[in-house]
Amino acid sequence: MRDIPSRTHRIDRSNVVRAALVLGVLHIGLIAGVSPVAAQRPAVRTAIEGAVYDTVSGRPIPFAVVSITQAARSTLTDSRGRYRLPVEAGTWEVQVRKIGYRMASVTVAISSEDTRRDLFMSPLPFELATINVTAEADDFATRIMRQAIARKNDLFGRIHDYHYDAYIKFIVRDLAKDRDSAESVFLITESQTSAYWEQPDRYQEVITARRQSTNLPAENNLVSVGQIVNFNTNRIDLQKYSVVSPTADDALDHYRYHVLDTLDVAGRTVFRLAIEPKSNAAPLFVGMIDVADSTFDVLAVDVATNEAIRFDFFENLRYRQRLADFGDDHWMPEEIRFSGELHVGVPLPGFPEHISFEHIASLREFRFDQGNAPVTLGEYLVVVDDDADDIDSTTWRERRVAPLTDVEQAAYTRIDSIENRPTPFGTKLLTGALGTIALSGNPDFFHFNRVEGPYLGAGWTWRGLSPDVILRARAGYAFDREDWQHRYGAQYRLSERRRLWVGASYHEQVVNRPTFVSPGENPTYLALFAKFDPFDYYREKGASFFVSTKLVNFT
C-alpha cells in the first residue's frame, strides 16, 4: 500500500501482525475474561497454587478444572498441569475435575501467604471413546448450550452496529525473575481506544491515547483491543487454524458440555459448564463457560486451546472474557484477557529467553445502532490519532479504567530510569557512525555525482496547519557547481474517503534522466569509489501540479 500523506497513522492488516511481533507477541486473537464472582466479596490477599498429576503415569494433567465452589472461583490448569487460584486466607475445599478422571477434592488451610498444594487424579478404568450413554447432567448442559446459542443468534440478529471505548494494558514479564518484583516487568504499554463494529464483520479501532515504558518507541505501540476473537462467530481463525466456537451453530457436534457448578452471581443463578472437545485431533477449545439461568445469556468464558493447536515458541495461550449487560439485554464483553508464554529459544541481546505476556482490555460505553461508520472502514483495522502521544499525565489518571499496581508503577519508574541513563561514549560514537552511514544513503541529505560533486542538503515537512494540508521544503548546496538547489511544495486533501489530494511544487535543481533499468538508483557509492556514473544530468527549473486518488480499496 502506498504512503498516505497524513499525520494520522493508519495500520493495515499486515502491519498489525508486524507490530505484534515487535512487542514479542503474535496477535492471534483476543478473547479473554475472568470468572464472574459474587458481589461484595472481600479483597483477595493470597492464593493457592500447584500442579495436578495423574496418579498412574505421574504426568501433569493439562486443562483440568480446579475450583473452590464456596468462593465461586475456578481456573484451568495450563499445558504443564499448573494452576493458581487467588483466594482469601481460610480453610477451603479445593476440587479438580476432568473428563476421563475421577473428581478429586482436598481441604486446604490457606494462611496469609501463598500456599502450594499439588493435586492428584485417578483415571477412570475405561476409554471415553467407547461411551455411548450420555449422563442426565450432560443432557441438561446440552439443553443449556442449545438455548445459549439460540439467545446469541437472536441478540446479534438485532444489532446492525455498535461503538465502544476501551482501556488496554499490555505487560511483558521475564519469567526468570520474581513475579512480584518490578525487575520482572520487561515492558508496559497502555492505550485508550474507540472502536466501531458493523455487520457482518467490519471493524475499525482508533487509538486515541497511548503511553509506554521508554524501552519501546511510541510508533511501535499499536496495542488495541483488536478484532475480538469472540465466541459469537461460528469459526475463529487463529493463524492457520479455523477453530469452532463453543457457541457456534454446530458447536454441539464438536464439544461435550457438562455442569461443573451452580453459582449465585449478583442474585442470578448461573450455570458453570465445562467445555470438552469430542476429538483432541481437531483444533478446538477446552475450558469453561458461564450461562445465566432462564435468560441463557453467556456471562463469562475461560478457555485454552487443545493440543491439536500448536504455535512455534508459544505455549499456555489463554482466553478469558467477562460479559455485562450494557442495556436492553445487550450482553457484551466488559473485560477481555489474553495471556501466554513465549520461549525465544536463542538468547537475544537485551531480551529475556522466557517471557509471559498479558493483554487486558476493559470495554465500556457500548452504543448500539448509531451508524456513523468511519470513512476508512474495511480498509484499516487500526488508526492512530494525531494527538495519541500528547495526553498529559493528569488526563491519563482520569481516563485510566484499571489502576496500575504498585509493582507496575515501580516498573515504569525503573525502566524509564534505565533507559535515561547517560549513554557511554563508545556507544555514542557507534550510534553516530551508523546514523551517518544511514543518512549517506539518502540522496536528499547527501549524494555525489560527476556533475554536482558532493551535495549536502536538508528537508522539512510540516503538517501542523491542518490534517488536510502538507507543506514541504528542501534545499541543498552542490560544491562542484557552487550553487544552491531548492524545491517547495504544498498538498491539500479534498476527500479523506477517496484519498483525493491535489498539489503543486516549484523547483530549481539538478536531476538525472530516469532509466528503465534503475529509475531510483543512487549512484553515490559507484561514483565515489568506482569512478563510474551511468546517468545523464540536466538542470530543471519549473513548476509541477498533480492530482491523486484511490480508485478502489487497498490501492
Side-chain angles (χ1 to χ4, degrees):
M1 181 178 295
R2 65 177 176 85
D3 292 335
I4 304 299
S6 169
R7 287 186 60 202
T8 301
H9 306 288
R10 296 179 173 85
I11 313 302
D12 65 17
R13 298 168 192 268
S14 61
N15 286 334
V16 170
V17 176
R18 295 192 194 102
L21 287 172
V22 170
L23 293 172
V25 173
L26 292 176
H27 251 278
I28 298 167
L30 308 172
I31 345 189
V34 293
S35 305
V37 297
Q40 299 179 351
R41 190 177 57 235
V44 174
R45 298 175 181 172
T46 183
I48 178 172
E49 60 185 4
V52 179
Y53 296 99
D54 186 310
T55 57
V56 176
S57 67
R59 295 177 179 175
I61 301 175
F63 311 134
V65 179
V66 182
S67 61
I68 300 177
T69 56
Q70 309 101 300
R73 291 190 177 276
S74 301
T75 189
L76 288 175
T77 59
D78 63 19
S79 61
R80 299 179 186 176
R82 300 172 302 185
Y83 74 92
R84 179 181 173 86
L85 269 175
V87 71
E88 296 77 27
T91 301
W92 303 96
E93 182 182 10
V94 182
Q95 297 181 346
V96 56
R97 296 180 173 92
K98 183 175 173 68
I99 291 181
Y101 290 86
R102 298 184 190 278
M103 186 195 76
S105 64
V106 62
T107 301
V108 181
I110 301 173
S111 65
S112 58
E113 298 180 353
D114 289 359
T115 301
R116 179 173 179 84
R117 186 63 179 266
D118 293 336
L119 305 173
F120 300 88
M121 302 186 74
S122 301
L124 293 172
F126 52 78
E127 292 291 332
L128 278 175
T130 63
I131 298 177
N132 296 316
V133 179
T134 304
E136 181 179 349
D138 288 356
D139 282 343
F140 180 58
T142 299
R143 292 197 298 271
I144 292 173
M145 284 308 303
R146 188 173 286 114
Q147 293 287 346
I149 293 169
R151 169 67 173 163
K152 173 209 72 172
N153 290 335
D154 174 66
L155 171 63
F156 278 85
R158 293 184 280 111
I159 297 176
H160 174 266
D161 61 75
Y162 57 76
H163 293 78
Y164 66 83
D165 298 327
Y167 164 76
I168 306 100
K169 180 169 63 177
F170 181 82
I171 301 177
V172 178
R173 283 187 167 87
D174 184 349
L175 290 177
K177 299 180 179 178
D178 181 5
R179 178 183 175 85
D180 295 327
S181 68
E183 289 76 12
S184 70
V185 179
F186 178 72
L187 174 75
I188 304 178
T189 75
E190 296 177 273
S191 303
Q192 310 266 0
T193 70
S194 178
Y196 176 85
W197 178 90
E198 182 180 288
Q199 292 280 12
D201 61 354
R202 291 155 58 83
Y203 175 86
Q204 187 179 98
E205 190 168 5
V206 178
I207 297 178
T208 57
R210 63 182 178 183
R211 65 192 298 258
Q212 56 284 319
S213 50
T214 51
N215 56 346
L216 180 73
E219 60 269 19
N220 289 337
N221 179 3
L222 301 176
V223 177
S224 59
V225 176
Q227 278 184 296
I228 303 169
V229 181
N230 73 58
F231 294 139
N232 296 317
T233 59
N234 287 324
R235 294 295 184 273
I236 297 168
D237 293 326
L238 303 181
Q239 293 228 316
K240 61 184 177 181
Y241 301 102
S242 181
V243 188
V244 179
S245 164
T247 59
D249 294 343
D250 59 344
L252 296 175
D253 296 333
H254 300 273
Y255 294 101
R256 296 186 184 92
Y257 302 90
H258 59 275
V259 178
L260 290 176
D261 295 305
T262 302
L263 309 175
D264 181 5
V265 179
R268 304 185 66 178
T269 299
V270 175
F271 300 109
R272 176 160 293 170
L273 310 180
I275 304 168
E276 291 278 351
K278 288 187 175 180
S279 170
N280 281 324
L284 295 167
F285 292 109
V286 56
M288 301 175 293
I289 185 169
D290 291 356
V291 181
D293 186 20
S294 303
T295 64
F296 302 102
D297 295 301
V298 174
L299 272 61
V301 180
D302 185 349
V303 296
T305 53
N306 69 351
E307 296 176 359
I309 299 177
R310 297 180 181 273
F311 298 103
D312 294 338
F313 308 116
F314 289 88
E315 63 181 23
N316 293 329
L317 296 179
R318 181 81 169 270
Y319 303 88
R320 286 170 290 171
Q321 180 171 295
R322 185 178 66 206
L323 296 91
D325 184 0
F326 284 91
D328 297 329
D329 288 331
H330 287 112
W331 284 82
M332 305 298 291
E334 179 183 43
E335 183 178 82
I336 301 171
R337 291 177 181 252
F338 172 43
S339 60
E341 297 178 11
L342 170 67
H343 292 269
V344 178
V346 179
L348 299 175
F351 196 86
E353 289 187 51
H354 189 189
I355 66 172
S356 68
F357 60 87
E358 186 171 29
H359 181 291
I360 308 167
S362 299
L363 282 62
R364 62 190 187 278
E365 296 184 15
F366 276 83
R367 289 91 69 193
F368 299 94
D369 298 319
Q370 292 184 345
N372 301 320
V375 295
T376 56
L377 182 67
E379 186 171 3
Y380 294 102
L381 293 179
V382 179
V383 175
V384 182
D385 189 80
D386 294 343
D387 301 322
D389 299 315
D390 300 328
I391 306 299
D392 60 46
S393 57
T394 301
T395 305
W396 260 106
R397 283 193 294 270
E398 293 172 351
R399 295 171 58 180
R400 183 188 281 133
V401 175
L404 295 175
T405 65
D406 292 340
V407 169
E408 292 164 355
Q409 192 63 60
Y412 254 127
T413 304
R414 174 181 173 273
I415 294 171
D416 291 352
S417 64
I418 292 174
E419 291 294 316
N420 292 322
R421 286 184 304 188
T423 304
F425 182 71
T427 303
K428 289 182 178 179
L429 284 179
L430 178 60
T431 302
L434 293 175
T436 301
I437 293 172
L439 286 173
S440 69
N442 182 347
D444 289 341
F445 172 76
F446 171 79
H447 62 255
F448 180 89
N449 58 55
R450 57 184 167 81
V451 174
E452 298 171 283
Y455 170 95
L456 285 176
W460 173 70
T461 299
W462 186 46
R463 294 183 172 91
L465 185 63
S466 163
D468 296 324
V469 176
I470 300 176
L471 303 178
R472 288 190 174 93
R474 189 182 70 194
Y477 186 77
F479 287 85
D480 278 7
R481 288 181 53 87
E482 296 183 350
D483 67 353
W484 287 91
Q485 302 179 34
H486 50 87
R487 184 183 187 95
Y488 313 101
Q491 297 172 233
Y492 181 73
R493 181 170 58 189
L494 296 175
S495 170
E496 181 178 8
R497 179 182 294 274
R498 300 312 312 168
R499 305 291 192 280
L500 179 58
W501 289 81
V502 295
S505 65
Y506 173 81
H507 58 276
E508 186 175 350
Q509 60 192 29
V510 173
V511 298
N512 66 278
R513 191 181 306 279
T515 66
F516 178 77
V517 177
S518 53
E521 182 179 343
N522 180 4
T524 293
Y525 297 124
L526 279 175
L528 272 174
F529 302 113
K531 306 301 181 184
F532 175 71
D533 188 347
F535 292 109
D536 293 328
Y537 296 89
Y538 59 95
R539 185 173 182 84
E540 183 177 87
K541 178 179 180 180
S544 61
F545 303 89
F546 77 88
V547 175
S548 69
T549 188
K550 174 189 70 173
L551 299 178
V552 296
N553 283 347
F554 309 109
T555 62

